[in-house]
Amino acid sequence: MRDSPDPGLLDDGVVVAVEAAGVNPADLLQVAGKYPPPPGAPSWPGLEVAGRIVATGPLVRGWEVGQRVAALLAGGGYAELAAVPASQLLPVPDALSDVAAAALPEALATAWSNLVDVGGMQQDDVVLVHGGTGGVGSVAAQLAVARGARVVAVAGGAERAERLRELLARVPGSHEAVVVDRTSEDFVSACQDLGGADVVLDVVGAANLGRNVESLATGGRLVVIGLPRGRKGELDLGALLAKRASVHGTTLRARPAEEKAAIMAAVREEAWPLVVDGTITPVVHATFPFEEAQQAHDTVRAGSPFGKVVLVRHG
């Protein structure tokens, strides 16, 4: 812990007094020196927070000092104060705790931008979600079910698969989700039984590349958003061409402000109401005081969390 100058207030932004901050794999990469913050972002980690607005810029409309918000950041969330463009805020309802709210901005923005914007997910599409028990995956799978997709969600181990099955069963949708335990079941077969996946959301990387292509339906879209199990893999272009399929790779953090604003506007209009009415449930594995950020990172690194790990200002 160290002192730092208060963040500057943007003309079109706010300063948030942080009560809770989500921990993401990108934070661990940044600490390891493998994912530097974008130009202008603070040097310390933190991509999402929840708290109260303590200052607003002169161009800000519709947000007030004292209002509870959640926010998507380019960095700097592990702090008492965080500056954020107003376009990257979400209003937090009374029924949602700061801890729960802090677990959502990055996951919802990632899920929406990749399933809907990049993946073109439509109602009745078959959607394969890897890492279904993770911070992003658990939200992405719920979002897909709620929007009427036929979801195949992957978990590691029987107990985690059962917890994920129970989570998705609570989400009202047009189709019952299929949960695959990757330690004993085959996600390719599960997708093929449904006619192939129209969208695959992959958080794993190269290790899944070939089998993801096998899982795709004709015209399917593979969207890769994480690389923990490899950056390079062999791609069968013949299989890709035969299926008229496509592979996309995306990140969220380094996108221009206007792209983040568009994503968050869509999240606020289309996905946030599903949080407010309880359709989508934020999943929090554990909380740690800010002073124990290292222990929080160790928990994420171990690969065991079901949902998000969250730092809290008042432990």
Side-chain angles (χ1 to χ4, degrees), residues 105-284:
E106 191 269 347
L108 272 179
T110 298
W112 183 272
S113 63
N114 289 289
L115 288 177
V116 179
D117 292 344
V118 177
M121 181 180 71
Q122 302 290 327
Q123 185 171 349
D124 299 325
D125 275 357
V126 176
V127 175
L128 171 61
V129 177
H130 287 284
T133 61
V136 171
S138 60
V139 170
Q142 291 182 79
L143 177 65
V145 171
R147 290 183 66 85
R150 293 178 290 167
V151 173
V152 178
V154 181
E159 180 182 353
R160 295 168 72 84
E162 183 57 31
R163 289 184 63 187
L164 181 58
R165 195 172 289 112
E166 292 172 358
L167 174 69
L168 298 181
R170 295 197 293 267
V171 181
S174 306
H175 307 281
E176 182 178 351
V178 175
V179 174
V180 173
D181 174 5
R182 60 177 171 79
T183 66
S184 61
E185 298 172 308
D186 181 24
F187 67 80
V188 176
S189 297
C191 291
Q192 291 175 344
D193 288 346
L194 296 173
D198 299 289
V199 184
V200 175
L201 185 67
D202 183 64
V203 300
V204 172
N208 273 354
L209 182 57
R211 289 172 55 74
N212 279 336
V213 173
E214 285 185 62
S215 301
L216 291 172
T218 299
R221 288 82 65 193
L222 165 59
V223 186
V224 181
I225 63 171
L227 302 170
R229 294 185 60 195
R231 298 167 58 94
K232 298 180 180 180
E234 185 171 300
L235 177 63
D236 185 343
L237 292 175
L240 200 68
L241 268 61
K243 293 185 175 185
R244 301 190 298 280
S246 57
V247 179
H248 305 261
T250 74
T251 60
L252 177 63
R253 184 183 193 184
R255 292 193 186 209
E258 57 271 18
E259 290 187 21
K260 289 184 180 179
I263 292 169
M264 292 300 285
V267 166
R268 184 176 177 185
E269 181 177 351
E270 300 286 348
W272 198 244
L274 300 174
V275 174
V276 174
D277 70 12
T279 297
I280 291 178
T281 303
V283 182
V284 176

